Amino acid sequence: MSSFYESAAQSMHVYVIDDGSDLARDVNAQLRSYQLFAVSTCSIEQVATLSAPNEKVLYLVVAGEKAQVAQISALLQSSSTQSILITDSPIVFQQLGQFATDALLWPLASNLLQQRLNYLHQLQVAHDQLDGLKQSLAWHKARVDREHQLVEHIFQNALSRNYLEYAHVHTYLTPVSKFNGDLCLIAPGPLGNIYMLMADFTGHGLAPATGALPLSQAFFAMSDRGVSVAEMVTEFNYRMSRLLPDDMFCAAILLELSANGERVTYWNGGMPAALLFDEQGEILKRLSPAHMALGVVDDDEFDSRVATFRAPKGSSIALFTDGVTELLGHQHKFLGSEALEMLLSKYPRTEDFTSLVDELERFRGETPLHDDLSLAILSCRPTGLGEVKVEPEQFGLPFVFESVLHPEHLTTVDPVAHILSALSQLPHLRRHRTTIYLFLAEAFNNALEHGLLALDSAMKQDPEGFAEYYQLRLERLHALQRGEIRIRVHFEPNSKELTVSVSDNGSGAAEISTSPNFTEKSHGRGLELLRQMTTDLHWDSETRTVSFKYVL
């Protein structure tokens, strides 16, 4: 990033404030012999009109026998510009030296002038580099914050159907970071039954949280159809085994409570044993894990067998992740399973849930969380939901939207925002606005940056390269003379399917890999979401087109 900093650190201009003395002539002669800096002379009255606003300057204030001590003192005290006082008078040196950046007593220190100038110049360059780094980091942070806001909005939309406000469920969900690696989903079935999923992805933060998007989509879609627990977990494992990398999996427990609140069907893969307890807090049954976590084994090895039992009247089920039992307290001890069961025995009623949470908070104190913490208690009673009627959706007529963008469009407007503004006028697309924007933006930026501008994302591996990347992007975009990007959106109402294709006629490496690639790198996270949340993602090298489908 040296070139970036060098452009930010301008050459220093030296102004000699000349009092017309012999000393001033000696100083000017010595400066000319250096030939290192741009040097100008002026009187003290001309100082106010010297430099341009962004020019890096240094004042050499010469105070010889004709020195105007009062004016020089006022200048040095009022100016924020670096200055060196040069005088042949010990008295003036003592009077004014404290107000300048540096002071030299002539001629004894004449051999030090070049050294001091070089030092101050290097100091200025270092200061400019630090400012440049701060600006680069601030810009990078603002961009990352914006990306996180966008992804957070997508999560909120994806989980907007989550039935967490259901009267018979109480939850305590606390993530370590902004994005939760735990997942607690609740959805009503079509026959008055209710489904509940508690999942825990490996790790915490953005990477595991992105796995929650396809899992939640499948959960809500299958809940609407009243699919069995066994069919659900089979589909979940199918998705997770193809999505997650080898070192990542998803422990999960899924249960279904019948409409009368008596029959419970569950599947537990790698989660802590859920607890069935009565109104007195006695543990009646442990819903222990009997299967591997989701995403560990292939379809032919996956065991979808479920367990069923009849829940006594007034009983409840506590589901929790290992973040609860491994909660580290202020005395540096873990909570443990026995302590959690004691708390449930102490606060068994639904109206005691707040007190239970308070006890957990008191145990933790000010100790930071080291894992996402999720606890949910479901009361086994009639759901009161009845048969849930699916509201009819008016998806209207099919349509095709196509836009061809040339350099004048790419440099003057935000094409994706304009296209989305047009698409979101349609009622059935409006609630998917943020998700569609992410898809279009990622495909468009890939075509622009890598196809037309021939940029390499590997530059963004370190902070210096990150700033250089976007500096180069700006330069190449303004210099772009030819090329086009074609965006095509096709909607089919019968299948509720949106098909998007984005192509370019550039020569850069715009190819998109269609294989899963979880990463902690500073680039590629948006494309990872594209791979996870769309289907039929395909790159055609001949037409330089990326295409994918999204089901509303």
Side-chain angles (χ1 to χ4, degrees):
M1 197 172 175
S2 59
S3 60
F4 176 80
Y5 285 137
E6 287 169 3
S7 62
Q10 304 174 23
S11 296
M12 188 167 61
H13 194 123
V14 178
Y15 285 97
V16 180
I17 301 177
D18 191 339
D19 63 354
S21 63
D22 293 338
L23 175 60
R25 285 191 293 274
D26 291 345
V27 171
N28 277 312
Q30 187 155 326
L31 283 172
R32 284 193 293 271
S33 68
Y34 297 158
Q35 298 181 346
L36 294 176
F37 307 99
V39 180
S40 302
T41 60
C42 64
S43 65
I44 196 168
E45 290 80 13
Q46 295 174 315
V47 169
T49 61
L50 285 182
S51 60
N54 296 324
E55 187 178 21
K56 308 301 181 183
V57 302
L58 169 68
Y59 293 155
L60 278 184
V61 183
V62 180
E65 67 271 11
K66 301 179 180 180
Q68 303 174 38
V69 175
Q71 285 183 279
I72 293 175
S73 176
L75 170 65
L76 294 176
Q77 293 186 66
S78 62
S79 176
S80 59
T81 304
Q82 292 188 104
S83 59
I84 298 179
L85 173 69
I86 300 177
T87 181
D88 53 5
S89 169
I91 297 176
V92 174
F93 183 88
Q94 185 175 7
Q95 290 176 329
L96 302 179
Q98 59 183 316
F99 303 125
T101 307
D102 200 353
L104 298 175
L105 187 61
W106 207 267
L108 297 177
S110 59
N111 59 330
L112 298 178
L113 180 57
Q114 184 175 7
Q115 178 186 340
R116 299 297 174 82
L117 288 173
N118 285 331
Y119 170 76
L120 291 177
H121 180 251
Q122 292 171 6
L123 187 65
Q124 182 65 58
V125 170
H127 183 270
D128 290 343
Q129 289 179 348
L130 184 60
D131 282 348
L133 181 59
K134 288 180 179 178
Q135 293 173 14
S136 176
L137 292 176
W139 183 90
H140 174 62
K141 181 180 183 301
R143 181 177 176 86
V144 170
D145 288 345
R146 172 56 184 156
E147 289 177 349
H148 281 188
Q149 289 171 7
L150 185 64
V151 175
E152 186 177 18
H153 196 118
I154 292 174
F155 281 128
Q156 290 175 353
N157 284 348
L159 302 180
S160 60
R161 293 187 52 201
N162 204 5
Y163 213 44
L164 287 177
E165 300 303 320
Y166 178 52
H168 298 165
V169 173
H170 293 79
T171 59
Y172 175 48
L173 311 173
T174 306
V176 172
S177 60
K178 193 172 188 178
F179 299 102
N180 200 341
D182 290 353
L183 192 63
C184 180
L185 300 178
I186 304 168
L191 301 176
N193 55 329
I194 193 162
Y195 297 94
M196 190 166 179
L197 172 68
M198 180 76 76
D200 183 3
F201 287 84
T202 308
H204 54 265
L206 181 57
T210 52
L213 292 173
L215 187 59
S216 62
Q217 287 181 322
F219 173 79
F220 292 124
M222 300 179 84
S223 297
D224 289 342
R225 302 199 306 269
V227 174
S228 69
V229 170
E231 290 175 294
M232 277 189 168
V233 295
T234 300
E235 176 65 18
F236 295 165
N237 187 73
Y238 173 83
R239 295 194 178 206
M240 294 298 101
S241 62
R242 283 157 180 77
L243 171 66
L244 302 180
D246 293 338
D247 61 346
M248 189 174 178
F249 57 84
C250 174
I253 179 170
L254 174 66
L255 64 80
E256 177 192 359
L257 179 67
S258 61
N260 62 9
E262 296 179 358
R263 189 184 72 254
V264 177
T265 303
Y266 74 93
W267 180 94
N268 189 344
M271 285 284 284
L275 302 173
L276 175 71
F277 59 95
D278 60 18
E279 294 174 301
Q280 286 71 46
E282 181 181 352
I283 305 299
L284 305 176
K285 183 179 179 62
R286 290 178 175 82
L287 284 59
S288 301
H291 308 283
M292 299 289 287
L294 299 173
V296 175
V297 299
D298 295 330
D299 300 340
D300 54 352
E301 300 177 10
F302 182 72
D303 185 0
S304 63
R305 288 176 295 177
V306 300
T308 302
F309 64 89
R310 184 169 296 276
K313 183 179 180 180
S315 61
S316 300
I317 303 175
L319 298 87
F320 50 91
T321 60
D322 56 11
V324 177
T325 53
E326 296 174 4
L327 180 66
L328 187 63
H330 64 279
Q331 295 181 342
H332 303 289
K333 294 182 179 179
F334 293 109
L335 179 66
S337 300
E338 292 184 5
L340 177 61
E341 292 184 14
M342 289 180 60
L343 288 175
L344 292 173
S345 300
K346 185 177 180 181
Y347 303 107
R349 300 178 304 168
T350 55
E351 53 266 35
D352 295 334
F353 186 77
T354 302
S355 299
L356 171 63
V357 172
D358 290 342
E359 286 278 8
L360 291 174
E361 290 289 352
R362 275 194 291 272
F363 174 82
R364 180 166 73 98
E366 299 298 324
T367 307
L369 287 176
H370 68 281
D371 194 5
D372 301 314
L373 191 154
S374 299
L375 169 66
I377 296 180
L378 170 66
S379 299
C380 298
R381 61 181 67 182
T383 63
L385 296 173
E387 291 192 14
V388 179
K389 296 181 180 180
V390 179
E391 296 183 1
E393 292 182 301
Q394 301 299 324
F395 279 86
L397 299 173
F399 71 83
V400 174
F401 175 94
E402 188 167 12
S403 180
V404 181
L405 307 170
H406 296 100
E408 60 268 24
H409 309 125
L410 302 173
T411 56
T412 57
V413 297
D414 180 356
V416 176
H418 280 69
I419 292 172
L420 189 66
S421 179
L423 294 179
S424 61
Q425 298 303 312
L426 301 169
H428 42 278
L429 296 182
R430 187 175 299 125
R431 60 193 176 97
H432 297 269
R433 178 186 179 98
T434 303
T435 305
I436 295 172
Y437 177 86
L438 175 65
F439 298 160
L440 287 175
E442 285 300 329
F444 168 78
N445 285 331
N446 183 73
L448 174 63
E449 297 179 2
H450 307 307
L452 296 187
L453 304 183
L455 294 169
D456 184 1
S457 288
M459 293 173 63
K460 294 189 279 187
Q461 289 286 51
D462 55 76
E464 292 184 357
F466 199 97
E468 272 194 82
Y469 180 91
Y470 285 99
Q471 179 87 1
L472 192 57
R473 182 189 190 277
L474 184 63
E475 293 173 0
R476 291 188 181 180
L477 182 59
H478 284 299
L480 190 65
Q481 297 294 324
R482 61 175 62 91
E484 69 175 36
I485 294 177
R486 186 181 299 267
I487 299 176
R488 188 178 188 273
V489 181
H490 173 219
F491 176 67
E492 178 52 55
N494 293 330
S495 59
K496 301 177 184 177
E497 195 170 63
L498 201 68
T499 303
V500 178
S501 64
V502 179
S503 59
D504 69 86
N505 65 351
S507 58
E511 179 174 356
I512 291 180
S513 171
T514 57
S515 60
N517 180 30
F518 270 75
T519 178
E520 294 294 335
K521 296 178 181 179
S522 59
H523 60 89
R525 292 171 296 188
L527 288 178
E528 191 60 48
L529 287 174
L530 191 65
R531 295 184 189 97
Q532 295 169 24
M533 297 182 64
T534 64
T535 60
D536 297 339
L537 180 62
H538 176 69
W539 166 258
D540 187 330
S541 57
E542 292 185 5
T543 61
R544 297 184 59 83
T545 301
V546 61
S547 59
F548 54 86
K549 294 180 179 180
Y550 174 64
V551 180
L552 303 182

